[in-house]
Amino acid sequence: MKRKPKKMSVVQLVQEAKEYDVLKKVSLDNGFYTEIYTHFSNVRIDDALEDYSSFIAEYSKHHPMKERKMIDYINLHILLWFTTLADSQDYSYEDKIQLFELILKSKYAEQIFQAFDSDDIQNFYQRIFKKLEAIQELAASNEEVRAQFIESVKSLNIENKEEIMNVFFKSDPDLNKSK
C-alpha cells in the first residue's frame, strides 16, 4: 500500500539543514583527532568549489597544471572545507600552497579523507560535473560565453588544453577556428 505524501514545511527544512552542521570525531593513529562534517551541504560544496576554482586559476598562472595535482587540490579543498583541521580563515594563495604541501606530506590526510561518507564525496564530484555541464550548455547556446570560455582555457598554464576544449565542444565543427 502506497503511503500518502506529507506536506513539506519550514520545520522539516530547518531540521534537514541542521544535519549539515553535525561534526564527527576522527581519531588518528598519533593520538590526536580532528572533526569532519557528517554531511556535505550543497552550499558548502559550492563555496568549496568556488574557492578551488580561484585557487586553480591562480595556480595555473605560476605552474603548469597536471591532472594529478588538480585531483590532489580538489581533495585538499574537501579537507579544508569539511574538517576542523584548519581555521575557517581565508588563506592567501601563498599560504594555501604551503599548507597544502604540508598536508600532502602527512600520512594522516588520507586517513581523514577516508573517514568521509562516500556518498558525500560522490555528491561533491557530481556537483563539479553538473557545474561543468551547465558551463558547457551555456557556452553552446551563447556565443559570448563560448568565446570567453575559450579565451580562459587558452590563457591557462595547463596541460591538455585541446582535450579540455574537446570535452566542452566535442560536437563543435568550428572548434579548430577558435584555437
Side-chain angles (χ1 to χ4, degrees), residues 54-101:
S54 298
F55 174 80
I56 289 300
E58 184 66 26
Y59 185 93
S60 70
K61 291 177 185 176
H62 306 283
H63 311 283
M65 183 56 70
K66 295 182 168 58
E67 187 176 328
R68 181 189 63 82
K69 277 289 196 186
M70 288 183 76
I71 292 169
D72 284 346
Y73 287 138
I74 289 172
N75 292 340
L76 288 167
H77 276 82
I78 291 172
L79 288 177
L80 188 63
W81 280 85
F82 296 96
T83 71
T84 58
L85 279 174
D87 295 333
S88 59
Q89 67 181 0
D90 288 331
Y91 288 93
S92 70
Y93 168 75
E94 292 80 15
D95 290 342
K96 202 178 266 190
I97 286 287
Q98 288 179 336
L99 176 66
F100 285 170
E101 291 306 314

Side-chain angles (χ1 to χ4, degrees), residues 26-72:
V26 176
S27 298
L28 304 172
D29 297 338
N30 62 359
F32 286 96
Y33 75 91
T34 189
E35 295 173 312
I36 63 171
Y37 285 89
T38 58
H39 299 288
F40 294 5
S41 75
N42 288 337
V43 170
R44 197 166 184 88
I45 291 172
D46 290 345
D47 290 345
L49 290 174
E50 184 177 325
D51 186 32
Y52 170 73
S53 296
S54 298
F55 174 80
I56 289 300
E58 184 66 26
Y59 185 93
S60 70
K61 291 177 185 176
H62 306 283
H63 311 283
M65 183 56 70
K66 295 182 168 58
E67 187 176 328
R68 181 189 63 82
K69 277 289 196 186
M70 288 183 76
I71 292 169
D72 284 346

Side-chain angles (χ1 to χ4, degrees), residues 127-147:
R127 283 195 74 81
I128 291 173
F129 295 126
K130 284 180 185 175
K131 290 188 178 294
L132 291 174
E133 287 173 5
I135 291 169
Q136 185 179 21
E137 289 174 18
L138 186 58
S141 65
N142 184 315
E143 189 61 37
E144 183 178 338
V145 170
R146 180 179 180 278

Side-chain angles (χ1 to χ4, degrees), residues 93-122:
Y93 168 75
E94 292 80 15
D95 290 342
K96 202 178 266 190
I97 286 287
Q98 288 179 336
L99 176 66
F100 285 170
E101 291 306 314
L102 290 172
I103 292 172
L104 282 173
K105 292 177 185 175
S106 169
K107 65 181 181 180
Y108 300 108
E110 190 170 331
Q111 185 179 353
I112 296 166
F113 196 82
Q114 290 175 349
F116 289 119
D117 184 278
S118 61
D119 289 341
D120 283 319
I121 299 297
Q122 183 177 351

